[in-house]
Amino acid sequence: MVPSRNLVGPLAVLVLLLWGASCTHGRRSDVRVITDENWRELLEGEWMIEFYAPWCPACQNLQPEWESFAEWGEDLEVKVAKVDVTEQPGLSGRFIITALPTIYHCKDGEFRRYQGPRTKKDFINFVSEKEWKSIEPVSSWFGPGSILMSSMSALFQLSMWIRTYHSYFTEDLGLPVWGSYTVFALATLLSGLFLGLCMIFVADCLCPSKRRRPQPCPSKKLIPESSQPLKRVEEEQEANEDVLEEEAKSKDGTNKDFPQNAVRQRSVGPSLAADKS
């Protein structure tokens, strides 16, 4: 029995340690996770957002301070969040994350980049004393909700998609590197042709070109009108021909009558002379 009593103390300590570790590990974090689907929640209220990567040593050192700062979020009336840029490349492009970790403060849609010390106390003072008012907010042109940053987000997502499929082609399917590049080159060519056709179609619909319309075929009613000059010429020619024929006939008639009169006169002439004698 004595050995069993000696083991009671160490066993109790071990149980307490295990219970404390389980409680600490199972405690819900006060840091909210922001993704491409719910990032518009940042546009309302006051936020502190950390952009990090799991492999970044500086980000790993910051995590305990950030978790402790999040516990004060309810008292400070600020929401503490984080973004994993390896899982959310669209947000890293939307906020132009060039260094890790990067911290932003947001107040009712206005974003400011935090560049002060990275301790819990400094974060608390930054929010409670409103030190963020001394920082110039990000221009609306470069805000996460602008068209420019939305395009950058799509570009970053496309680059991550290309990297993922390149790894799939080379590692899983066993294609050579040049084969993967060939697939992407063909895809780029086809997509460029498709987009070009779409742009031409849209431009043609918005700004139609002035094309020569085909002349309509003349109708039956227009045929007599168009042929009237020709008919007039023909009629004039026919009239002239008729006049010439009549003149010719009249000339022939006068020529024929002249000899007959002469013959008559000749025949009549001696008889008249005889009577007179």
Side-chain angles (χ1 to χ4, degrees), residues 208-226:
S209 59
K210 296 180 180 180
R211 299 175 181 176
R212 294 182 178 179
R213 297 181 179 178
Q215 296 181 354
C217 296
S219 60
K220 293 182 179 179
K221 295 182 180 179
L222 297 177
I223 292 176
E225 296 179 359
S226 61

Side-chain angles (χ1 to χ4, degrees), residues 252-273:
D252 293 340
T254 53
N255 293 333
K256 290 179 180 178
D257 293 338
F258 177 75
Q260 290 178 359
N261 294 331
V263 171
R264 289 175 183 175
Q265 290 178 359
R266 289 175 184 177
S267 60
V268 171
S271 61
L272 290 174

Side-chain angles (χ1 to χ4, degrees), residues 51-73:
F51 292 85
Y52 75 100
W55 47 263
C56 174
C59 300
Q60 295 173 2
N61 296 331
L62 177 62
Q63 291 310 308
E65 298 290 335
W66 197 251
E67 292 287 344
S68 301
F69 168 59
E71 296 176 359
W72 288 76

